């Protein structure tokens, strides 16, 4: 069984952490994964950087740029992840934009993911219709989940369609925003979260964008199966010792 | 119709809408409504009224005598430089602002390279009393200072884009980020035939007035609405698409699109997209773009800010791939020389963008008597600094 499925069957209040591969140092990709698992992360989203990340705010933009400047690319990333499953047991997804995947080749990409033990992908600018027509077969053949995003503006009908097309989880954006905006849970956000909760989707849901502390994490968990933290984590590991920074950061959520 | 968009938003292998979910509702709203709105009789009436009384259309088709004598062909210039605000960009912004009003939008955003699209957007926002935010690369803010001043005077907020090469591509990224963060009340007026479907088609439709008029003017002046050649420069490709639009199905009219070679196609400082690029996805559509093997977008270079873009619109990629259009390139120096030549032969100072199209005339061979239309997409006022520095005037 796919590790993602198993995780959602076994756990509640899932904490998933996003970080950019090759940041802060090019060789940190695996080190961070190990440190995160050790300090209690339930799932990982490893970002492969792109030169023009339109859905990202300044923090993730900067981490992507630094990573690219240090020589990161998909080929190198898959080399770095070669022994991933020797030390990391939690589900791992790759997250990034579609153009690097296209240039790597969709088939090659899926195959490489399966070989290193990646469980799924999040490609925000890959449209549903394209996925259905050209990618889905390949993803399923390699047992990869493809995760779609939804926002407060996504229509119910479309959410049901996404629910039918995916088999990992659905990524709920707390608002239509680039990454790094703070979550302000007001009435409209709560209505939206409740609306999704009451739709009885087949897939579990994770809330992301703007989760930065225990309070926002707990709030998100009351509406979904868990939450995703990105910008706050990337900021926390920018400088200093990786292991210390990771364990310090994770303590906040595990109390 | 084999060069037009299909019902899925594609031109052959190119096009589509590669956008994050955050942009889907806005783009989908446009997709469902743009043709309905544009085809509406009231919309058409208002659009054409403004084109006539505000923009000053039809723009003349001018037979440039001294230029014609030099090349041994009849060189016609389609004078988009005479439009209000000085370039073809206003054709598109008038169309889109009317459309944005019909969709009930209150706030307008745009990217700009040379500042011509920014000025054209700020102008229509002043005209229709809508809030206006323009994203512009830091490098371009510096080299197109007069246009920055114009935008500010028109009441727009000019926001510098400081990521990447700090030029048009990065301004486009910032505008898309703004749109993601303002999903309800904002319309993004993209300035060229790029972006997710339906933008390339919508912008082409608004710019197609260029070739629509040209055909009529050619009949009046030559008795034949089909010239031998049609030339235009290509940044994203909107003036070229407007110039090609009604000639696309006339297969005996040769379409020539001129890209910016910068310091030379092999110099590492170039924006010659079809020459240097490969198929891929940028700014919401599948097209041809300059990129590394890993799919990272390569920073382009051109002396002309409006051509300093690493991609081209998907319809151009299709014309290129099918061979319907010929895609060539012109260096910085060749374009500046052609700009001075036009100034001194015809008394017209062209935008450096447009000068790229003119420069290609030097490389063509004519038997004599061919009819050639060059889209003079804009005037050179904004480029005086660059000209003066280069020619030490
Ligand atoms: C005068 C002029 N011509 C051409 C262009 C290039 O744009 P496009 O290729 O969309 O016509 C610009 C862009 O700013 C411009 O100002």
């Amino acid at each position: 069984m796919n590790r993602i499925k198993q995780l959602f069957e076994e756990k509640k209040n899932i904490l998933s952490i996003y970080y950019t591969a090759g940041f802060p140092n090019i060789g940190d990709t695996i080190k961070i994964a190990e440190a995160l698992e050790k300090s209690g992360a339930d799932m990982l989203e490893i970002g492969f950087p792109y030169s023009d990340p339109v859905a990202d705010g300044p923090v993730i933009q900067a981490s992507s740029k630094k990573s690219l400047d240090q020589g990161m690319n998909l080929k190198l990333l898959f080399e770095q992840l070669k022994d991933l499953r020797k030390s990391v047991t939690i589900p791992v997804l790759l997250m990034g934009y579609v153009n690097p995947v296209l240039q790597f080749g969709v088939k090659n990409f899926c195959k490489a993911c399966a070989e290193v033990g990646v469980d799924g992908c999040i490609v925000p600018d890959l449209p549903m219709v394209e996925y259905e027509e050209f990618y889905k077969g390949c993803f399923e053949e390699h047992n990869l989940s493809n995760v779609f995003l939804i926002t407060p503006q996504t229509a119910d009908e479309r959410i049901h369609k996404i629910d039918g097309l995916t088999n990992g989880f659905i990524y709920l954006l707390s608002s239509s925003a680039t990454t790094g905006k703070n979550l302000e849970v007001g009435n409209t956000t709560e209505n939206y979260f409740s609306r999704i909760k009451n739709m009885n989707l087949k897939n579990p849901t994770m809330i992301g964008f703007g989760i930065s502390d225990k309070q926002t994490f707990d709030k998100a968990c009351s509406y979904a199966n868990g939450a995703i933290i990105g910008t706050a984590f990337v900021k926390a590991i920018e400088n200093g010792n990786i292991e210390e920074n990771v364990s310090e950061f994770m303590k906040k959520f595990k109390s | 119709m084999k060069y037009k968009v299909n019902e899925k938003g594609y031109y052959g292998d190119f096009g589509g809408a590669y956008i994050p979910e955050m942009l889907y509702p806005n783009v989908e709203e446009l997709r469902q409504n743009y043709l309905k709105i544009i085809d509406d009789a009231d919309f058409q009436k208002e659009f054409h009224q403004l084109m006539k009384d505000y923009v000053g259309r039809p723009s003349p088709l001018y037979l440039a005598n001294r230029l014609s004598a030099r090349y041994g062909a009849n060189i016609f210039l389609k004078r988009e430089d005479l439009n209000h605000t000085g370039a073809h960009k206003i054709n598109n912004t008038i169309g889109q602002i009317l459309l944005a009003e019909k969709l009930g939008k209150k706030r307008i955003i745009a990217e700009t390279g040379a500042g011509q699209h920014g000025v054209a957007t700020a102008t229509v926002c002043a005209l229709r009393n809508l809030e206006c935010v323009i994203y512009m690369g830091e490098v371009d803010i510096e080299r197109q200072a007069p246009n920055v001043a114009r935008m500010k005077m028109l009441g727009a907020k000019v926001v510098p884009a400081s990521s990447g090469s700090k030029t048009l591509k990065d301004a486009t990224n910032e505008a898309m980020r703004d749109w993601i963060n303002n999903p309800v009340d904002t319309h993004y007026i993209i300035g060229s035939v790029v972006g997710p479907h339906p933008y390339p088609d919508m912008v082409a439709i608004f710019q197609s007035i260029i070739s629509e008029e040209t055909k009529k003017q050619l009949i009046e002046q030559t008795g034949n609405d089909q010239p031998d050649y049609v030339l235009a420069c290509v940044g994203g490709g909107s003036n070229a698409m407007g110039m090609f639009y009604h000639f696309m199905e006339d297969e005996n009219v040769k379409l020539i699109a001129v890209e910016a070679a910068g310091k030379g196609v092999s110099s590492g400082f170039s924006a010659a997209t079809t020459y240097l690029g490969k198929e891929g996805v940028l700014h919401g559509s599948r097209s041809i773009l300059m990129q590394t093997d890993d799919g990272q977008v390569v920073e382009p270079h051109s002396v002309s800010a409006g051509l300093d873009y690493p991609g081209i619109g998907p319809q151009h990629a299709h014309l290129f791939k099918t061979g319907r259009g010929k895609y060539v390139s012109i260096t910085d120096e060749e374009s500046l020389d052609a700009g001075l030549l036009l100034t001194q032969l015809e008394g017209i100072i062209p935008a450096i963008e447009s000068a790229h199209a003119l420069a290609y005339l030097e490389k063509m061979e004519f038997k004599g008597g061919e009819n050639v239309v060059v889209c003079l997409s804009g005037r050179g006022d904004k480029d005086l600094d660059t000209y003066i520095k280069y020619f030490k005037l």
Side-chain angles (χ1 to χ4, degrees):
Chain A
M1 181 160 54
N2 181 308
R3 288 180 199 90
I4 299 173
K5 242 191 184 138
Q6 189 166 0
L7 173 67
F8 283 100
E9 277 176 18
E10 289 169 0
K11 273 195 89 164
K12 276 194 189 124
N13 302 344
I14 290 165
L15 175 57
S16 182
I17 303 284
Y18 167 93
Y19 67 96
T20 305
F23 177 87
N25 301 299
I26 187 79
D28 288 339
T29 312
I30 282 286
K31 214 195 289 180
I32 295 171
E34 291 170 352
L36 278 168
E37 173 157 355
K38 204 168 106 198
S39 37
D42 299 307
M43 182 157 67
L44 304 178
E45 289 162 30
I46 304 179
F48 54 93
Y50 178 50
S51 53
D52 296 81
V54 291
D56 287 302
V59 172
I60 292 178
Q61 278 176 50
S63 69
S64 302
K65 176 156 193 331
K66 185 162 183 215
S67 167
L68 286 173
D69 289 348
Q70 294 176 150
M72 182 50 72
N73 57 50
L74 270 178
K75 188 162 163 271
L76 176 62
L77 177 59
F78 285 120
E79 270 164 36
Q80 291 184 342
L81 297 180
K82 193 170 49 138
D83 294 326
L84 173 76
R85 289 304 171 196
K86 287 196 179 143
S87 55
V88 176
T89 65
I90 56 180
V92 172
L93 295 98
L94 294 190
M95 179 163 187
Y97 294 81
V98 72
N99 197 47
V101 177
L102 270 177
Q103 303 311 319
F104 196 83
V106 178
K107 273 194 191 136
N108 290 341
F109 178 80
C110 291
K111 195 162 150 256
C113 283
E115 272 167 14
V116 300
V118 162
D119 307 288
C121 298
I122 310 174
V123 187
D125 59 342
L126 173 62
M128 204 162 39
V129 280
E130 307 295 330
Y131 174 72
E132 204 169 359
E133 205 164 327
F134 302 112
Y135 295 71
K136 189 165 177 274
C138 196
F139 271 58
E140 288 176 355
E141 186 187 325
H142 292 93
N143 202 18
L144 290 172
S145 300
N146 185 45
V147 172
F148 290 98
L149 276 51
I150 65 177
T151 80
Q153 279 78 36
T154 309
D156 283 4
E157 190 193 337
R158 189 168 163 82
I159 296 174
H160 282 300
K161 189 148 184 233
I162 285 171
D163 192 37
L165 210 56
T166 189
N167 58 356
F169 59 90
I170 293 176
Y171 195 142
L172 250 64
L173 299 193
S174 42
S175 63
S176 176
T178 43
T179 54
K181 287 267 148 74
N182 281 333
L183 175 61
E184 288 163 31
V185 183
N187 284 343
T188 42
T189 335
E190 291 206 42
N191 288 344
Y192 154 65
F193 288 159
S194 309
R195 171 165 72 92
I196 305 298
K197 198 172 174 179
N198 293 332
M199 281 176 82
N200 290 320
L201 300 175
K202 161 191 111 184
N203 283 284
T205 54
M206 295 285 285
I207 292 178
F209 279 31
I211 314 279
S212 58
D213 52 23
K214 175 86 171 123
Q215 197 193 344
T216 40
F217 176 72
D218 287 345
K219 188 97 196 169
C221 287
S222 66
Y223 293 101
N225 300 67
I228 300 159
I229 298 173
T231 299
F233 179 75
V234 172
K235 237 192 258 174
I237 60 165
E238 226 162 14
N239 301 301
N241 179 285
I242 294 285
E243 282 85 358
E244 283 170 19
N245 283 339
V246 170
S247 93
E248 200 54 37
F249 184 86
M250 294 295 289
K251 262 187 212 148
K252 283 194 279 186
F253 297 93
K254 291 284 152 184
S255 50
Chain B
M1 297 300 279
K2 65 182 175 186
Y3 302 110
K4 301 271 165 72
V5 76
N6 69 20
E7 68 288 349
K8 287 184 170 168
Y10 275 82
Y11 309 84
D13 296 335
F14 305 107
Y18 292 80
I19 44 169
E21 183 62 29
M22 298 81 106
L23 290 179
Y24 180 84
N26 274 321
V27 171
E28 180 62 11
E29 181 184 31
L30 268 181
R31 190 185 71 79
Q32 286 183 5
N33 293 295
Y34 82 111
L35 291 176
K36 239 186 303 184
I37 293 176
I38 294 172
D39 290 341
D40 180 74
D42 287 345
F43 182 94
Q44 281 296 321
K45 187 159 168 247
E46 194 166 16
F47 179 71
H48 283 284
Q49 194 77 45
L50 282 169
M51 282 295 164
K52 177 165 168 283
D53 299 334
Y54 188 72
V55 177
R57 303 201 72 94
S59 68
L61 183 71
Y62 165 64
L63 176 59
N65 283 311
R66 296 186 65 197
L67 212 57
S68 298
R70 179 184 171 93
Y71 295 117
N74 304 315
I75 312 294
F76 293 88
L77 302 178
K78 182 59 175 162
R79 298 291 307 274
E80 294 300 301
D81 61 315
L82 293 177
N83 293 343
H84 178 44
T85 71
H88 66 294
K89 298 285 181 186
I90 190 101
N91 304 330
N92 171 42
T93 59
I94 295 266
Q96 285 202 48
I97 200 92
L98 296 180
L99 199 129
E101 281 181 350
K102 298 270 184 264
L103 294 172
K105 305 292 176 178
K106 301 278 178 271
R107 180 173 174 272
I108 299 294
I109 56 171
E111 85 296 338
T112 195
Q116 288 304 114
H117 175 59
V119 167
T121 303
T123 297
V124 296
C125 286
L127 180 69
R128 308 302 281 208
N129 192 24
L130 289 173
E131 185 188 344
C132 180
V133 180
I134 306 290
Y135 290 90
M136 188 169 188
E138 274 178 357
V139 169
D140 292 337
I141 287 184
E142 202 144 307
R143 62 177 160 174
Q144 304 286 331
N147 275 343
V148 178
R150 289 163 83 194
M151 287 184 269
K152 287 186 177 160
M153 193 168 165
L154 288 159
K157 185 172 156 205
V158 180
V159 182
S162 57
S163 59
S165 56
K166 307 177 174 50
T167 60
L168 183 53
K169 162 179 90 84
D170 313 285
T172 307
N173 290 340
E174 288 306 328
M176 289 195 159
R177 290 184 185 118
D178 180 309
W179 210 18
I180 285 173
N181 286 299
N182 295 283
V184 180
D185 65 341
T186 298
H187 175 70
Y188 177 16
I189 301 191
I190 296 185
S192 193
V193 285
V194 300
H197 177 68
Y199 274 101
D201 189 42
M202 180 169 75
V203 177
I205 290 171
F206 291 138
Q207 291 293 1
S208 70
I209 192 164
I210 299 174
S211 46
E212 188 186 320
E213 289 172 4
T214 300
K215 280 199 150 184
K216 286 188 202 140
Q217 291 163 322
L218 279 171
I219 294 234
E220 284 166 20
Q221 296 183 34
T222 71
N224 182 355
D225 74 349
Q226 303 208 356
D228 297 284
Y229 297 96
V230 168
L231 278 78
C233 67
V234 178
S238 67
N239 87 89
M241 201 44 71
M243 188 73 248
F244 293 172
Y245 199 85
H246 291 286
F247 295 112
M248 270 185 304
E249 312 288 332
D250 301 339
E251 302 268 354
N252 50 338
V253 178
K254 296 185 189 69
L255 310 176
I256 300 182
V258 185
E259 299 181 336
K263 297 182 177 167
V265 286
S266 310
S267 65
F269 296 90
S270 180
T273 303
T274 54
Y275 186 82
L276 296 168
K278 280 184 305 192
E279 295 181 18
V281 170
L282 176 65
H283 295 148
S285 64
R286 191 179 167 112
S287 185
I288 296 173
L289 59 127
M290 290 165 48
Q291 56 181 316
T292 65
D293 290 342
D294 185 44
Q296 309 300 336
V297 182
V298 168
E299 312 286 355
H301 165 86
S302 168
V303 66
S304 99
L307 305 185
D308 205 348
Y309 185 72
I312 49 170
Q315 196 166 14
H316 281 291
H318 183 51
L319 293 180
F320 171 72
K321 195 168 177 179
T322 55
R324 175 65 188 95
K326 182 172 172 185
Y327 286 71
V328 298
S329 65
I330 283 295
T331 64
D332 289 351
E333 292 187 357
E334 289 166 337
S335 71
L336 291 163
D337 290 343
L340 186 63
L341 185 73
L342 185 75
T343 306
Q344 301 192 335
L345 286 185
E346 300 287 348
I348 299 170
I349 305 176
I352 301 174
E353 288 80 9
S354 324
H356 281 74
L358 293 163
Y360 193 68
L361 292 170
E362 291 280 336
K363 310 207 163 182
M364 294 172 72
E365 283 185 18
F366 298 108
K367 292 196 294 281
E370 290 97 328
N371 290 334
V372 181
V373 181
V374 182
C375 185
L376 199 65
S377 56
R379 67 177 85 126
D381 306 29
K382 68 184 177 63
D383 297 316
L384 285 187
D385 260 5
T386 312
Y387 279 129
I388 286 167
K389 263 191 212 134
Y390 179 73
F391 292 111
K392 307 200 169 54
L393 298 170

